[in-house]
Amino acid sequence: MSEAQAKAPRGTFDVLGQEAQARMAIEARARAILEAAGYERIETPCFEATELFARSVGEATDIVKKEMYTFTDGSGRSLTLRPEGTAPVCRAYVEHGMHKRPQPVKLWYLSSFFRYERAQKGRYRQFWQVGAEALGSDDPALDAESIQLLHRLLGELGARDLKLRLSSLGSPEARGAYREELKAHLKSREGELSEDVRGRIEANPLRAFDSEHPGTVAVMKDAPLLLGQLTAEDLAHFDQVRALLDAAEVPYEIDPTLVRGLDYYTRTVFEFTSTALGAQSGVGGGGRYDGLVQQLGGPRTPGIGWAAGIERILLAGSPPAPAPPALDLYVCVHEEGEEGDARRRAFALLWQARAAGLRAEMEMAGRALSGQLKQANRRGARFAAIVDGTATTLRDMQDGGQSEMGSEVVVHELLRRLRTLS
Ligand code: HAM
């Protein structure tokens, strides 16, 4: 009886081949753009204390309510596979006393995240994000820079049909009064709302703007808008962000109904969408979170950042996928007599070639010599070395020319020929 074939869990996938190459190209672009703007790489653990996300992302959000992979470890602690990167970065900022460094502290990451969502194209249970967070300043120039960097990254990666939606959620104090007004509006037309939205009037009324339920959409058309009720200070901040984006020629659309699925946002929020994506149109998004560090036990520290989904970037465009680099040398083993001698010499040659900085591979699948030369071709090798019990023959894979030489001079000769070719 045959065993059932093992498969990756639903909503997860393997990364290999062309796709792995494309991802490396995205990482290289992100690194070049972000490091040139002063962002340092950070990697946080895959799992954190559950409380970190409950406190920051928010108990009433979908992420915390139903999408977290939470488990209890051997000592009874509740841990959660990270569903997002901002809270862990803020935790690390506090833990490492980064507020003592010159501000702002700018950090970027490219990591995998976990959400128990309904899996479909562009929406997975383990997915990858590239993200950037800048902590320690509330200067609107930092907001504009952050948005501009994501705009540039997505543009350079070939994301098509991009649209940037921008809004401001103001400060939590101002939002308090607005929430009450919105709740009253929702309650006055409760019967028209979806069950989901009705159940969240108290805990998370703003998410009603995200609903696609026709009754709810109609109610939200008449809803009061937060953007019209910002304090003078918040409005001035938002106006400066806009003016700087205009100066940087980043096109955007003001969308007063933009709310994000995480509770920590204050003031600026934004989202890039691509019509090339279909239902899951969000390529990347973010915003300000001026209260988050303090909420996690740190000093008062404003912050702004974003994250973009790697799989969605790949779906929205065609990032350049460089071909894997061709080999300089393929080492063939031609064993005629006693098993082993040619192999040992070939293996030594392989390492000498690599030590000299060459891209080299050796036959390790037991092919006959003709099969080995075919494999050298398939791997794009410029030269092959055929090592037998006594001598080594260097073969030019382009013109087929061959010359025999002592194994001690092969690498030297190869380097000389490659230099003349370049
Ligand atoms: P988010 O909007 O939840 O924000 O996620 C950011 C991006 O991650 C989305 O725009 C999308 O491209 C991708 N993404 C989210 N969920 C999935 C999924 N299930 N499958 C595939 N891709 C997905 C955050 O995570 C915030 N931490 C962003 C941020 C950083 N805000 C401030 N700083």
Side-chain angles (χ1 to χ4, degrees):
M1 212 168 69
S2 71
E3 306 236 346
Q5 192 190 334
K7 283 195 174 152
R10 191 171 161 69
T12 71
F13 49 85
D14 302 305
V15 175
L16 69 167
Q18 285 266 309
E19 164 116 16
Q21 293 289 331
R23 282 164 184 260
M24 277 195 276
I26 293 179
E27 177 156 9
R29 262 344 286 151
R31 180 178 168 186
I33 290 173
L34 293 169
E35 291 191 353
Y39 282 77
E40 264 176 58
R41 181 78 184 237
I42 183 168
E43 277 303 326
T44 60
C46 264
F47 54 82
E48 298 267 0
T50 300
E51 213 205 13
L52 174 70
F53 301 111
R55 268 164 66 181
S56 57
V57 173
E59 302 272 9
T61 59
D62 280 350
I63 295 180
V64 172
K65 263 178 42 192
K66 50 188 186 199
E67 293 173 1
M68 298 209 301
Y69 283 94
T70 296
F71 60 98
T72 308
D73 76 0
S75 51
R77 288 187 195 90
S78 178
L79 300 172
T80 291
L81 296 185
R82 57 184 175 201
E84 64 99 48
T86 310
V89 166
C90 290
R91 195 255 319 126
Y93 178 89
V94 176
E95 194 167 328
H96 299 281
M98 289 192 235
H99 62 281
K100 294 189 205 116
R101 291 205 210 163
Q103 307 293 301
V105 172
K106 296 171 167 184
L107 301 162
W108 78 281
Y109 48 87
L110 196 153
S111 328
S112 62
F113 296 89
F114 308 85
R115 295 183 193 175
Y116 182 70
E117 294 203 73
R118 218 156 22 85
Q120 61 182 85
K121 188 173 164 200
R123 188 160 70 190
Y124 309 97
R125 291 179 174 170
Q126 178 176 3
F127 57 97
W128 294 74
Q129 285 183 347
V130 53
E133 315 285 353
L135 292 120
S137 167
D138 65 1
D139 189 327
L142 209 55
D143 304 45
E145 178 190 69
S146 178
I147 296 170
Q148 204 272 334
L149 287 169
L150 180 55
H151 177 253
R152 177 161 167 220
L153 178 64
L154 295 175
E156 285 193 19
L157 292 174
R160 284 169 288 136
D161 307 324
L162 278 182
K163 217 169 78 177
L164 167 60
R165 295 189 298 146
L166 181 71
S167 191
S168 172
L169 299 179
S171 43
E173 304 77 56
R175 204 154 64 227
Y178 168 76
R179 272 170 68 105
E180 292 311 312
E181 200 184 324
L182 183 61
K183 280 200 278 193
H185 174 74
L186 292 172
K187 280 183 191 154
S188 72
R189 295 174 61 177
E190 208 167 336
E192 296 169 58
L193 301 174
S194 73
E195 205 185 312
D196 192 36
V197 170
R198 232 181 297 142
R200 278 201 291 206
I201 294 182
E202 282 305 323
N204 204 350
L206 269 84
R207 284 313 297 263
F209 282 111
D210 278 351
S211 173
E212 284 166 9
H213 171 260
T216 308
V217 171
V219 173
M220 296 321 284
K221 272 213 173 84
D222 307 327
L225 294 174
L226 175 55
L227 202 54
Q229 303 189 11
L230 296 186
T231 62
E233 219 183 321
D234 290 339
L235 202 56
H237 189 275
F238 190 49
D239 284 346
Q240 287 189 56
V241 174
R242 293 180 54 181
L244 292 165
L245 286 175
D246 291 340
E249 295 179 6
V250 176
Y252 59 85
E253 216 172 80
I254 302 291
D255 182 352
T257 69
L258 175 63
V259 282
R260 307 248 316 124
L262 307 101
D263 277 357
Y264 48 62
Y265 291 114
T266 55
R267 293 190 160 175
T268 313
V269 283
F270 57 95
E271 212 158 77
F272 283 88
T273 53
S274 163
T275 41
L277 281 184
Q280 299 305 313
S281 63
V283 186
R288 234 178 211 292
Y289 42 86
D290 290 346
L292 183 53
V293 170
Q294 197 175 20
Q295 214 177 312
L296 297 176
R300 263 178 84 97
T301 310
I304 169 114
W306 48 257
I310 300 293
E311 296 74 32
R312 303 227 184 137
I313 294 175
L314 287 165
L315 286 170
S318 41
L327 291 181
D328 298 310
L329 177 69
Y330 192 84
V331 182
C332 302
V333 189
H334 190 39
E335 204 80 67
E336 278 172 329
E338 181 89 346
E339 167 80 14
D341 200 36
R343 246 178 112 65
R344 273 194 295 278
R345 295 180 49 248
F347 198 64
L349 174 58
L350 174 72
W351 283 99
Q352 285 159 11
R354 286 184 185 161
L358 298 177
R359 288 184 295 259
E361 280 184 35
M362 174 182 146
E363 172 63 23
M364 295 187 184
R367 295 177 186 83
L369 183 58
S370 61
Q372 296 185 38
L373 289 169
K374 259 192 212 143
Q375 175 68 358
N377 251 331
R378 279 193 292 261
R379 303 290 295 125
R382 185 64 188 78
F383 290 93
I386 303 161
V387 182
D388 65 26
T390 51
T392 300
T393 304
L394 193 59
R395 179 183 170 95
D396 185 321
M397 294 300 288
Q398 269 173 23
D399 64 17
Q402 296 199 157
S403 36
E404 197 177 293
M405 60 195 73
S407 53
E408 70 288 354
V409 298
V410 176
V411 171
H412 181 77
E413 177 61 14
L414 252 174
L415 288 170
R416 192 188 66 75
R417 292 205 199 175
L418 286 166
R419 249 196 320 272
T420 48
L421 285 172
S422 66

